[in-house]
């Protein structure tokens, strides 16, 4: 009887080991849990399920700058934004973004930075959020602080973006545009944190930090 | 009967030979062309270069191409994994416990993208009828150190992938003209939206790791494409992901083509009597400089072979050009120092007082030199300062 139990346990442990070893083979889990400097991301507003988006369409009112909206579809390259450091203070490529860190969010296709200022948004009369600058260079109102719990901005965590300068939170409350950008939602700044200003990273190209040093002094 | 026996013997011998050959295991280091102490970066670089050369689509006349390519994949799979490499180094290929489970396709596409490079050249021609998803361009900042030594950047790509879903959907929708007959000889043309029926798709996010190589000597704005890693198109092919190199400014070295420029400040004494120093280069090695003549402010020294490797042929290197700036004392010399009696130092330069007289003598000499006369030393070029010295 004892021998049978021992044998059964032996088989169990062996099969468990095989399963573990085999599962390791399946494919590497992503080792990168954080959003890092230089990465391209799509940002999803968790309350309204739309992605932060911009395009070569200007506001018809307010500042007349390039508009920023929220879109439903997940396969548009115009929803990609690059995470970069402040002007004159570049972040190190691949370094995880810390909670509280000031960053710029640059629209990949047009090279303009996520920007807000004291203009009214067209649909809801909140603070207008636009895309401003050329080739990634705009002005001091391009800077946003990432607000999250913990040390670093985690990829599957909802965070808030608080504007450095006007203290507005990047938000969506659901108002929709008509022609020519029918169905897209208004993105604006709101003064207080609430359920409408949570965003999380979705699709993207996430740069990993450098592993080895470039020259081998220790040899 | 004897012949049959002979054949059997031959077959047995052949089988034995084959099995021993197989069991002997492959030399992965030799397949990749790297030394036993190669770094992971060297291994990735070797794989990437050989994968392009040995891909079966590129070698359609070689019957062994598939095997060579498979060997390459196996070699990379083992040597790029720390654990497996240790096992292989100790016990050989037979000592590897788990066997090969990753397909070579996975490894290849992490360096070149889903569709590999085969479509790279042909993409334009095949493209016209197949709709394509958007391209993604990522500006990749690289340091001058990385341009000098090369590097690999790992990147995690999370992208939406079209998967089959239950049901049907409308696709290829287009406007068509329909003609309806209203009566004899009377027709009406109307526009109508006509769609085909296609299997339903949904977009599911998938993740994989890509390896981007920063090749030695890479230039600003150069692009590294990963075919098929861009945005999907539900009715067609995905677009591409391209990494565009942006070389960052370096605090010490300035790049001009394959040449590097840097400034070094020397003291007044060194400018007159010469000096010897080491300059730390981008990969840490020291460039030794010796000078035993007078060095004028703005003088340049040319160090051949100490520049950046040329992208097209890394055996050719540019030059390092060092421009010397001379640091003059900050405070005025007092009477004693001017007379040369004070054996102390001026602004930390011991022996300056002894030289002050020398300096005055030298000044006269310099003023005597006709303007525009250049030294004839072929190795170095100097820029003559017409201002002269003010004392």
């Amino acid at each position: 009887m004892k021998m049978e139990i021992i044998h059964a346990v032996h088989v169990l442990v062996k099969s468990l080991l095989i399963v573990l070893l085999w599962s390791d083979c399946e494919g590497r889990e992503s080792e990168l849990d954080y959003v890092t400097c230089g990465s391209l991301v799509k940002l999803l507003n968790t309350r309204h399920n739309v992605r932060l988006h911009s395009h070569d369409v200007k506001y018809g009112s307010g500042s007349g700058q390039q508009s920023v909206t929220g879109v439903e579809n997940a396969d548009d390259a115009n929803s990609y934004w690059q995470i970069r450091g402040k002007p004159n203070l570049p972040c190190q490529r691949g370094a995880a973004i810390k909670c509280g860190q000031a960053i710029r969010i640059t629209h990949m296709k047009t090279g303009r930075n996520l920007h807000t200022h004291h203009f009214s948004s067209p649909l809801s009369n909140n603070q207008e959020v636009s895309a401003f600058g050329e080739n990634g260079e705009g002005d001091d109102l391009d800077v946003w602080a990432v607000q999250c719990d913990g040390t670093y901005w985690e990829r599957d965590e909802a965070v808030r973006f608080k504007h450095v300068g006007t203290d507005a939170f990047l938000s969506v409350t659901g108002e929709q545009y008509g022609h020519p950008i029918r169905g897209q939602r208004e993105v604006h700044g709101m003064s207080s944190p609430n359920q409408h200003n949570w965003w999380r990273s979705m699709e993207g190209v996430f740069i990993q930090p450098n592993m080895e040093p470039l020259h081998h002094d220790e040899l | 009967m004897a012949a049959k026996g002979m054949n059997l013997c031959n077959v047995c011998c052949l089988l034995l030979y084959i099995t021993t050959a197989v069991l002997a295991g492959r030399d992965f280091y030799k397949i990749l062309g790297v030394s036993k102490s190669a770094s992971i970066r060297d291994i990735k670089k070797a794989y990437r270069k050989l994968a392009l050369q040995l891909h079966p689509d590129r070698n359609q006349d070689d019957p062994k191409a598939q095997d060579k390519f498979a060997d390459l994949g196996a070699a990379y799979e083992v040597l790029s994994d720390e654990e497996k490499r240790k096992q292989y180094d100790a016990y050989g290929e037979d000592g590897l416990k788990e066997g090969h489970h990753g397909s070579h396709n996975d490894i290849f596409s992490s360096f070149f993208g889903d569709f590999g490079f085969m479509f790279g050249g042909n993409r334009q021609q095949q493209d016209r009828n197949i709709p394509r998803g958007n391209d993604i361009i990522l500006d990749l900042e690289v340091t001058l150190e990385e341009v000098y030594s090369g590097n690999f950047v790992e990147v995690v790509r999370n992208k939406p992938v079209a998967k089959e879903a239950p049901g049907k959907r409308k696709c290829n929708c287009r406007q068509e003209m329909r003609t309806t007959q209203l009566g004899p000889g009377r027709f009406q043309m109307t526009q109508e939206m006509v769609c085909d029926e296609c299997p339903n798709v949904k977009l599911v996010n998938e993740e994989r790791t890509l390896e981007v190589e920063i090749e030695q000597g890479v230039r600003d704005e150069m692009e590294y494409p990963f075919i098929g890693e861009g945005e999907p198109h539900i009715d067609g092919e995905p677009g591409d992901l391209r990494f565009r190199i942006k070389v960052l400014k370096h605090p010490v070295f300035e790049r001009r083509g394959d040449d590097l420029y840097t400034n070094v400040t020397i003291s007044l004494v060194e400018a007159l009597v010469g000096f010897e120093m080491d300059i730390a280069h981008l990969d840490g090695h020291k460039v030794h400089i010796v000078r035993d003549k007078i060095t004028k402010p703005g003088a340049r020294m040319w160090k051949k072979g100490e520049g950046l490797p040329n992208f097209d042929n890394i055996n050719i290197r540019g030059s390092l050009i060092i421009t010397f700036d001379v640091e003059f004392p900050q405070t005025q010399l007092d009477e004693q120092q001017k007379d040369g009696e004070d054996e102390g130092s001026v602004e930390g330069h011991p022996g300056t007082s002894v030289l002050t007289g020398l300096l005055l003598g030298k000044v006269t000499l310099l003023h005597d030199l006709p303007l525009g006369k250049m030294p004839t030393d072929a190795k170095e070029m100097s820029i003559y300062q017409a201002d002269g010295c003010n004392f």
Side-chain angles (χ1 to χ4, degrees), chain B residues 32 95 112 119 156 172 194 228-229 240 249 257 263-264 272 277 333:
Chain B
L32 277 170
F112 300 102
F119 285 23
V156 170
N172 297 336
V194 165
E229 292 294 337
D240 302 333
K249 287 215 180 313
N263 291 343
V264 168
L272 292 170
M277 61 164 61
L333 304 177

Side-chain angles (χ1 to χ4, degrees), chain B residues 179-383:
Chain B
T179 321
T180 43
Q181 191 168 31
L182 296 175
R186 284 170 63 213
F187 296 90
Q188 186 184 59
M189 296 209 41
T190 47
Q191 257 203 343
E192 219 176 80
M193 181 72 95
V194 165
C195 296
D196 292 339
E197 222 179 44
C198 291
N200 202 5
V201 289
K202 59 177 175 169
L203 292 174
V204 172
N205 282 359
E206 281 187 354
E207 230 170 65
R208 59 122 51 94
T209 303
L210 300 175
E211 305 272 351
V212 189
E213 181 173 11
I214 301 172
E215 290 171 289
Q216 285 176 285
V218 69
R219 295 178 206 124
D220 217 37
E221 304 292 320
M222 276 185 163
E223 288 186 359
Y224 287 91
F226 282 74
I227 310 294
E229 292 294 337
E231 288 300 86
H233 194 295
I234 45 175
D235 289 326
E237 284 179 355
D240 302 333
L241 168 60
R242 300 207 296 269
F243 291 90
R244 184 161 56 195
I245 301 292
K246 295 278 186 192
V247 183
L248 293 169
K249 287 215 180 313
H250 196 271
V252 174
F253 295 99
E254 184 193 335
R255 176 189 198 171
R256 292 187 211 171
D258 291 339
D259 294 330
L260 289 172
Y261 283 73
T262 189
N263 291 343
V264 168
T265 306
I266 52 175
S267 69
L268 200 48
V269 179
E270 289 172 319
L272 292 170
V273 299
F275 55 87
E276 197 174 332
M277 61 164 61
D278 282 333
I279 296 181
H281 210 293
L282 291 166
D283 66 345
H285 85 270
K286 303 272 190 257
V287 179
H288 193 66
I289 301 173
V290 179
R291 177 98 173 123
D292 55 1
K293 299 194 185 93
I294 295 174
T295 312
K296 302 190 186 82
R300 286 174 165 186
M301 191 183 276
W302 217 274
K303 282 284 186 190
K304 275 183 146 18
E306 289 289 356
L308 293 171
N310 180 278
F311 179 76
D312 299 305
N313 179 354
I314 57 172
N315 295 318
I316 301 176
R317 279 175 193 248
S319 308
L320 171 65
I321 295 105
I322 306 158
T323 305
F324 292 100
D325 194 26
V326 179
E327 191 186 8
F328 279 68
Q330 297 297 330
T331 57
Q332 295 301 315
L333 304 177
D334 61 27
E335 289 304 321
Q336 269 193 315
Q337 286 165 327
K338 280 186 189 170
D339 287 340
E341 281 168 11
D342 181 6
E343 285 299 314
S345 56
V346 175
E347 274 285 299
H349 297 295
T352 315
S353 52
V354 171
L355 285 170
T356 314
L358 207 64
L359 211 70
L360 291 167
K362 280 287 183 189
V363 166
T364 322
L365 253 179
L366 281 169
H367 275 294
D368 274 351
L369 271 177
L371 286 172
K373 181 159 190 260
M374 301 293 266
T376 49
D377 191 325
K379 204 177 175 198
E380 294 144 14
M381 288 175 0
S382 318
I383 295 165

Side-chain angles (χ1 to χ4, degrees), chain B residues 28-260:
Chain B
F28 288 153
Y29 290 99
K30 196 159 159 216
I31 291 173
L32 277 170
V34 296
S35 71
K36 291 236 163 39
S37 58
S39 70
I40 183 74
R41 199 179 300 136
D42 293 333
I43 290 171
K44 285 183 186 178
K45 189 178 171 138
Y47 171 81
R48 191 170 175 270
K49 189 165 133 218
L50 286 168
L52 279 174
Q53 286 174 10
L54 296 179
H55 196 280
D57 283 7
R58 272 242 171 125
N59 297 292
Q60 307 220 344
D61 328 320
D62 184 354
K64 294 211 202 119
Q66 282 285 358
D67 290 335
K68 283 189 201 162
F69 194 63
D71 284 345
L72 182 67
Y76 178 78
E77 194 194 330
V78 168
L79 295 186
S80 63
D81 181 308
E82 227 179 276
E83 276 303 310
K84 290 187 195 163
R85 188 178 178 178
K86 272 198 211 129
Q87 283 178 10
Y88 176 77
D89 286 343
Y91 307 113
E93 194 180 347
D94 307 332
L96 293 169
K97 307 271 163 62
E98 286 131 38
H100 305 304
H101 38 73
S103 75
H104 191 177
N105 274 332
D106 277 345
I107 298 174
F108 187 80
S109 46
S110 72
F111 281 85
F112 300 102
D114 250 342
F115 285 70
F117 70 92
M118 298 91 77
F119 285 23
N122 298 336
R123 241 205 193 276
Q124 271 64 34
Q125 293 140 23
Q126 290 186 340
D127 236 2
R128 234 150 277 160
N129 299 322
I130 305 175
R132 222 175 116 213
N134 297 146
D135 284 345
I136 302 176
I137 302 180
L138 193 156
D139 281 335
L140 191 66
E141 289 183 338
V142 304
T143 61
L144 215 51
E145 283 84 355
E146 290 177 310
V147 175
Y148 187 79
S149 310
N151 198 4
F152 267 91
V153 183
E154 280 194 351
V155 142
V156 170
R157 171 72 176 120
N158 180 307
K159 63 178 181 184
V161 174
K163 297 271 187 207
E164 281 178 15
K168 297 270 183 221
R169 65 183 171 97
K170 291 198 179 329
C171 61
N172 297 336
C173 290
R174 56 201 176 272
Q175 296 275 13
E176 274 185 6
M177 298 297 284
R178 281 282 151 92
T179 321
T180 43
Q181 191 168 31
L182 296 175
R186 284 170 63 213
F187 296 90
Q188 186 184 59
M189 296 209 41
T190 47
Q191 257 203 343
E192 219 176 80
M193 181 72 95
V194 165
C195 296
D196 292 339
E197 222 179 44
C198 291
N200 202 5
V201 289
K202 59 177 175 169
L203 292 174
V204 172
N205 282 359
E206 281 187 354
E207 230 170 65
R208 59 122 51 94
T209 303
L210 300 175
E211 305 272 351
V212 189
E213 181 173 11
I214 301 172
E215 290 171 289
Q216 285 176 285
V218 69
R219 295 178 206 124
D220 217 37
E221 304 292 320
M222 276 185 163
E223 288 186 359
Y224 287 91
F226 282 74
I227 310 294
E229 292 294 337
E231 288 300 86
H233 194 295
I234 45 175
D235 289 326
E237 284 179 355
D240 302 333
L241 168 60
R242 300 207 296 269
F243 291 90
R244 184 161 56 195
I245 301 292
K246 295 278 186 192
V247 183
L248 293 169
K249 287 215 180 313
H250 196 271
V252 174
F253 295 99
E254 184 193 335
R255 176 189 198 171
R256 292 187 211 171
D258 291 339
D259 294 330
L260 289 172

